[in-house]
DNA sequence: TACAATACCATGCTATACCATATTATACCA
DNA sequence: TGGTATAATATGGTATAGCATGGTATTGTA
């Protein structure tokens, strides 16, 4: 199973290209598509990123709804219509489309943030603020990780 | 497995021709028919599109209704009788028949909208409204992807 | 024979595949 | 433990192939 850890900051070139951290790429090596799938986060000014296999998994779960039901339609629209398929080039880079870059206010550098099964891409300064905020939330609410169900 | 992702806007020429996005075509490469199947959506001013292999799959699902029940008959009529088989030309284009274009109020551009196992074709401005609507529905009803059953 | 549908061809553009360099991290050896 | 060699990674630039698009020819049909 793919597991994305740690944070890496890489450079965005004039064409919107950026190297995906090598450790993230190796997590996706066995995927059916050499690249990532990205879409705008619903809760942050950032991009949510998955491997293609996870998107297929999501698609299968949606099959539990009736094919033309409203819920199925709304979810599929939000998730799939607004996502972008970003293939690796020969050197492990992706091209971040202008639309996604401007949504995140990205200029010359971006941060890849491991989140376990998925990862996010942030404008580095926005990420700093978010991290400080997340630390506060964890401290104030004494958030903990649930015990294993095994 | 074929998965349709993202949204692409392509030009409709004077003969009603339009390029199917290359990524969608490659999802259909292994299909038994080189082209798509399209029919008018029941819930939107848009076209629902599948590969031929998925139409066969839908047909199997309909078998779960009683063979001569009203529901089965209605659905089968709407989906199969009113659907059009649109073959690719040598350059990966389809011809959208006048009847389907006018149903969607299409003029010079159309949007191909990935929905996972299917895709839709929209008049671009109508799509914008639909996207906003889908986002609202998901937020208001707290729709989420069902958890895995594993 | 006239019309419409479809197959075929031609072109500009853009995405991406390729190559070349710089930089960093790692491994090896003293 | 420290320094150096080496390999992997990140980055920058260029060439090319594929794609979207426009047009023409040919076939079938009424």
């Amino acid at each position: 199973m793919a597991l994305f850890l740690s944070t890496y900051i890489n450079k965005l070139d004039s064409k919107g290209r950026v190297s995906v951290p090598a450790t993230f790429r190796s997590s996706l090596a066995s995927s059916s598509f050499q690249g990532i799938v990205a879409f705008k986060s619903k809760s942050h000014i950032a991009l949510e990123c998955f491997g293609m296999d996870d998107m297929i998994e999501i698609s299968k779960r949606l099959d539990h709804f009736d094919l033309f039901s409203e819920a199925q339609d709304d979810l599929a629209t939000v998730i799939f219509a607004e996502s972008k398929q970003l293939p690796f080039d020969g050197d492990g880079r992706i091209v971040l489309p202008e639309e996604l870059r401007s949504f995140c206010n990205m200029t010359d550098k971006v941060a890849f943030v491991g989140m376990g099964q998925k990862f996010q891409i942030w404008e580095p300064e926005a990420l700093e603020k978010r991290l400080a905020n997340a630390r506060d939330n964890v401290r104030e609410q004494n958030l903990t990780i649930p015990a294993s169900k095994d």
Side-chain angles (χ1 to χ4, degrees), chain A residues 5-10 18-21 24 36 94 96 110-114 119-122 127:
Chain A
L5 289 177
S6 189
T7 297
Y8 303 86
I9 294 182
N10 283 340
V18 62
S19 277
V20 175
F24 286 18
I36 68 169
I94 54 171
L96 285 178
V110 298
F112 289 82
V113 184
F119 63 93
Q120 295 174 342
I121 309 181
W122 286 75
L127 174 64

Side-chain angles (χ1 to χ4, degrees), chain A residues 27-103:
Chain A
S27 287
L28 295 169
S30 64
S31 173
S32 55
F33 161 71
Q34 281 306 297
I36 68 169
V37 177
F39 54 89
K40 298 173 191 172
S41 170
K42 305 289 174 282
S43 39
H44 304 292
I45 305 297
L47 306 178
E48 304 280 354
C49 305
F50 293 85
M52 182 59 81
D53 291 352
D54 280 307
M55 294 303 286
I56 291 172
E57 174 64 25
I58 289 171
S59 166
K60 283 181 183 159
R61 290 191 197 177
L62 278 179
D63 279 353
H64 299 154
F65 290 100
D66 285 341
L67 188 53
F68 296 104
S69 73
E70 264 187 60
Q72 213 268 4
D73 208 76
D74 288 336
L75 274 170
T77 299
V78 166
I79 295 169
F80 295 110
E82 305 205 79
S83 68
K84 302 238 185 254
Q85 202 169 336
L86 308 177
F88 295 141
D89 71 9
D91 304 313
R93 286 179 290 196
I94 54 171
V95 178
L96 285 178
E98 163 58 24
E99 188 199 349
L100 297 185
R101 274 181 283 151
S102 60
F103 173 75

